[in-house]
Amino acid sequence: LYPLIHELFVVQESNNVPDIITQREVVESILLKNVIHYQVIDILWIVLHWYTVDVRNFKRYSATVWSAVSIAISQGRLDVSSHKVMISIHRLLDIISHENIPIINTLLEFVSAAASMTSKCSYICLILRYFASCHNKRSLTEDTGRK
């Protein structure tokens, strides 16, 4: 999938021909249906980077991606005890638009519902990573505002 994603979202970045737009939408739909694989989460991260140019669409799509990921986690289809899955989710949390998504509430619900201590620790790590990501973004904004 990486060559296809590269072609549609990087090489054809400024090409908004209806055929390309349709192909992107189909690929996005397929990716969201297969979010149970950490490799797909990594690809969604690439797609989200492409969306950062358009803030409105970025917020909409990041909400859609987080919704798909959180549903997969809550249904137990995404194994958060896997180190590779955790790394992929961490990367996703770094780019997702935090303003319009109740990420913390979702993660706290996962902590309380988790059966094993390993799962509870994994969710707590995600929450801490989320806070670190928000803090880093706020620091960068404040630093650029002072210059």
Side-chain angles (χ1 to χ4, degrees), residues 10 14 34 38 59-60 70 76 82-83 91 98 104 115 135 140:
V10 179
S14 62
N34 289 291
Y38 73 91
K59 286 183 178 183
R60 180 188 52 80
S70 63
S82 164
H83 183 68
R91 288 181 67 205
H98 302 294
I104 291 300
H135 175 73
L140 286 173

Side-chain angles (χ1 to χ4, degrees), residues 47 56 59-60 92 95 98 103 107-110 117 124 134 136:
V47 173
R56 187 177 53 83
K59 286 183 178 183
R60 180 188 52 80
L92 193 64
I95 191 173
H98 302 294
I103 293 175
L107 292 174
L108 288 173
E109 289 172 12
F110 294 153
M117 185 54 90
I124 291 169
C134 289
N136 289 341

Side-chain angles (χ1 to χ4, degrees), residues 86-147:
M86 290 299 289
I87 289 171
S88 296
I89 294 174
H90 285 177
R91 288 181 67 205
L92 193 64
L93 285 175
D94 281 341
I95 191 173
I96 269 183
S97 178
H98 302 294
E99 303 89 44
N100 64 338
I101 304 172
I103 293 175
I104 291 300
N105 292 339
T106 307
L107 292 174
L108 288 173
E109 289 172 12
F110 294 153
V111 170
S112 63
S116 71
M117 185 54 90
T118 303
S119 294
K120 288 183 188 295
C121 290
S122 296
Y123 292 124
I124 291 169
C125 287
L126 281 175
I127 291 169
L128 293 173
R129 179 64 179 186
Y130 170 78
F131 281 129
S133 172
C134 289
H135 175 73
N136 289 341
K137 286 181 182 178
R138 188 176 312 120
S139 295
L140 286 173
T141 304
E142 289 171 0
D143 288 344
T144 56
R146 285 185 232 168
K147 292 182 180 177

Side-chain angles (χ1 to χ4, degrees), residues 53-81:
V53 176
D54 182 357
V55 175
R56 187 177 53 83
N57 283 333
F58 173 71
K59 286 183 178 183
R60 180 188 52 80
Y61 193 65
S62 63
T64 303
V65 168
W66 178 249
S67 176
V69 169
S70 63
I71 288 170
I73 292 172
S74 67
Q75 293 175 347
R77 296 183 304 137
L78 191 58
D79 180 21
V80 294
S81 63

